[in-house]
Amino acid sequence: MVIVSESSNGENKQEDYITDYIQSLERRVKELDVDKKNFEAKYLKLDRELAGLRAEFERIKSPPMIAATIMDVLDDGRAVVRSSAGPNFVVAVSQFIKPSDLKPSTRVALNQRTYSIMEILPSKKDPLVLGMEIEEVPDVSYDEIGGLQDQIRELRETVELPLLKPELFKKVGIDPPKGVMLYGASGTGKTLLARAVAHETKATFIRAIASELVQKYIGEGARMVREMFELAREKAPSIVFIDELDAVGARRLEMSTSGDREVYRTLMQLLAEIDGFDPMEDVRIIGATNRPDTLDPALLRPGRFDRLIFFPLPEEDARLAIFRIHTKSMNLEKKVELSTLVSLTQKATGADIKSICTEAGMFAIREGRDVVEHADFEKAVSKVMPTNKLMEVSEFTSKPEKMYGY
Ligand code: ATP
């Protein structure tokens, strides 16, 4: 009896052991199943990464393409293109490009070897690509401008008023001036004032440097001008500020090189844009130059840049005001006498005065001080204002005697 009960006990134990073992195996299977799923997910992720890297590798390996502009589309499906720096070509078009996408002035990418059109490039007006600066409402106010009271008043009347109170012009029955030309030596505050007007009118400030329009993008100057005005309309109210206008607007004596013709084409496009827009539109144009005597009279004709505003070197009062503006947030010792500095900086421009203040601060830092002393300013004046400053100042520190078309 005892023996039987012992043997059934043993069997029970064995059964328990087997059940436990099976359960543990089942748990293990479940764990392995979860692991398997995790690995599968990881595999998928890595596979996608690998495909991405392979594609990137292929992109890196493929030769660069040439950017070009379509000039004409031929009846046989080919196109005439102008590459950005070269001659015109008649080229084939990849079968993956829809013929309806091929339009004159569309930008495309060409295969480097066969010159066939491989891609249509986006014609996005990206101001960085265009070599322009764009500021959504600059942060400079009139308070940050020393002197230039008359210039501020005139610019407010010609640029600010038409943007803020167009109805005034309608009531009186006159068109506001379309374009204003600021002229004067470099660093006299032309850009600063134009930005301040944009700030005051909450307008987008688009700044293009005319010399870059013609030099940086050979063969593209006219397109740049067109796109700049399109951008200005999209971002209206806006102020288009064209610096170094003489680079495209100099009087033409002789057009001998292709470079001259390029400059001429850019100027023509600029004139067409100015003529084409309605003076009541909320886009204003401000040009700036330090060589107004060389400008083509065509630019200064009524309805174009017909208001000229001269930026002189700052007088004593203005210099003091500019010193105050640029030292406002500086930690100055009590002994700093701005009025003495004013008499030491007779031929200085606003930009010179700003550099003097920065240099003075640098002298203090170099000597381990956090307070700027009068001597720092004196050293800065002799560094920034060489004795021959008079010679260095651009020709136009006073109004030129003769202005074409003015
Ligand atoms: P450029 O012809 O070289 O473009 P500009 O006449 O447009 O020169 P700005 O760029 O306006 O000169 O001036 C350069 C800097 O000098 C300004 O950012 C400003 O800090 C300082 N500055 C010039 N004029 C004044 C001024 N009247 N008041 C205060 N700061 C000034």
Side-chain angles (χ1 to χ4, degrees), residues 140 142-148 152 182-195 207 209 241 243-244 288-290 311-312 314 318-319 321-323 325-326 349-355:
V140 189
Y142 294 130
D143 302 342
E144 287 158 67
I145 302 174
L148 300 178
I152 294 178
L182 315 182
Y183 70 101
S186 178
T188 44
K190 300 183 291 296
T191 313
L192 184 70
L193 185 45
R195 290 178 61 226
R207 174 172 183 246
I209 300 176
F241 180 73
D243 213 347
E244 298 179 23
T289 178
N290 28 31
F311 279 61
R319 293 205 296 281
I322 301 173
F323 264 117
I325 289 165
H326 291 294
T349 60
D352 290 332
I353 296 177
K354 185 185 180 186
S355 311

